[in-house]
Amino acid sequence: MSDQQLVTSFAILVGAYTQLTCGISLYHWQMVTTLAWFSSVTHLATLPFLRDLLEKLKYILLVRVVLMAALAVLLAIALVLHGKKTSEGYFTAATPATCAFDSPD
């Protein structure tokens, strides 16, 4: 279950990043980011239960650390758009997400 959450959140974010050029709206971008965030938090919540397994199998621990680091970078970039403003005010939900990325503010 824990591995599925990690792979799911990674796949959700990669899918969202590929849709940036196709005009994914800011609303959908925020929904995707929130889903990936909750999925990664669920993965982190299951790690204490896997402590004994991870101590025995160090290569699995290394794979998890690498994937979580990559996911953290993707999430950090994606969360920058949450609450981003323009000089006129906040973006609307229908605004393409690329406009928020390209905004200088």
Side-chain angles (χ1 to χ4, degrees):
M1 173 86 169
S2 177
D3 295 333
Q4 287 176 329
Q5 294 297 322
L6 182 61
V7 170
T8 299
S9 58
F10 197 76
I12 287 171
L13 282 177
V14 168
Y17 277 108
T18 60
Q19 292 300 312
L20 277 174
T21 58
C22 297
I24 186 172
S25 69
L26 194 57
Y27 171 77
H28 291 106
W29 179 263
Q30 290 177 344
M31 289 297 113
V32 165
T33 305
T34 305
L35 280 171
W37 176 260
F38 285 134
S39 183
S40 65
V41 168
T42 303
H43 167 72
L44 290 173
T46 60
L47 288 181
F49 298 103
L50 299 172
R51 185 177 187 178
D52 294 334
L53 176 69
L54 294 176
E55 286 177 356
K56 291 178 190 173
L57 303 172
K58 296 292 184 186
Y59 65 93
I60 291 178
L61 178 63
L62 179 65
V63 170
R64 284 177 188 259
V65 168
V66 169
L67 285 176
M68 279 304 294
L71 182 64
V73 169
L74 289 176
L75 271 174
I77 294 168
L79 288 173
V80 167
L81 294 182
H82 283 270
K84 195 168 184 183
K85 296 191 314 184
T86 64
S87 57
E88 295 85 29
Y90 288 98
F91 287 106
T92 63
T95 304
T98 53
C99 294
F101 267 123
D102 296 337
S103 175
D105 293 340

